[in-house]
C-alpha cells in the first residue's frame, strides 16, 4: 500500500487525475477528514473540493508507475 498527499488547483486537474488513475487496475481511495471516495470517481473528487489537502491511498504493492504519474498533484 502506498500513500501520498495531493491537492488539486482546478477542476481540469481533477479530470486529468481521474483519467490517469483510471488507466490502472489498482483500488485507489482519496480521503479528506472522515470522507473517503473512490479516486476514479469524478463526482466524488469534485465533492471533496479544490485547494484542500487530500490523502491518496493506493491498495497495491507495486504501484511506482502510478505514484510517479501523480507527482504533479503532490501537496
Amino acid at each position: 500500500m502506498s500513500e501520498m498527499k495531493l491537492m488539486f488547483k482546478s477542476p481540469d486537474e481533477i479530470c486529468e487525475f481521474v483519467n490517469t488513475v483510471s488507466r490502472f487496475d489498482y483500488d485507489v481511495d482519496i480521503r479528506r477528514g472522515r470522507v473517503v471516495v473512490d479516486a476514479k470517481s469524478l463526482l466524488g473528487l469534485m465533492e471533496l473540493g479544490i485547494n484542500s489537502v487530500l490523502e491518496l491511498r493506493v491498495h497495491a504493492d507495486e504501484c511506482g508507475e502510478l505514484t510517479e504519474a501523480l507527482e504533479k498533484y503532490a501537496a
Side-chain angles (χ1 to χ4, degrees), residues 49-68:
I50 297 170
N51 293 324
S52 298
V53 176
L54 309 172
E55 297 175 36
L56 174 81
R57 181 173 288 169
V58 182
H59 301 276
D61 292 329
E62 297 296 322
C63 57
E65 186 179 346
L66 174 60
T67 55
E68 219 173 272

Side-chain angles (χ1 to χ4, degrees), residues 6-50:
L6 305 175
M7 181 182 291
F8 302 110
K9 294 176 177 50
S10 71
D12 290 335
E13 280 191 355
I14 294 175
C15 291
E16 291 172 15
F17 173 85
V18 170
N19 288 334
T20 301
V21 172
S22 295
R23 292 191 326 242
F24 296 88
D25 290 333
Y26 312 131
D27 288 331
V28 184
D29 296 325
I30 291 196
R31 180 177 139 194
R32 188 179 104 200
R34 295 183 190 179
V35 179
V36 178
V37 298
D38 183 352
K40 297 177 183 179
S41 167
L42 180 59
L43 291 176
L45 288 177
M46 291 289 192
E47 181 70 26
L48 292 179
I50 297 170

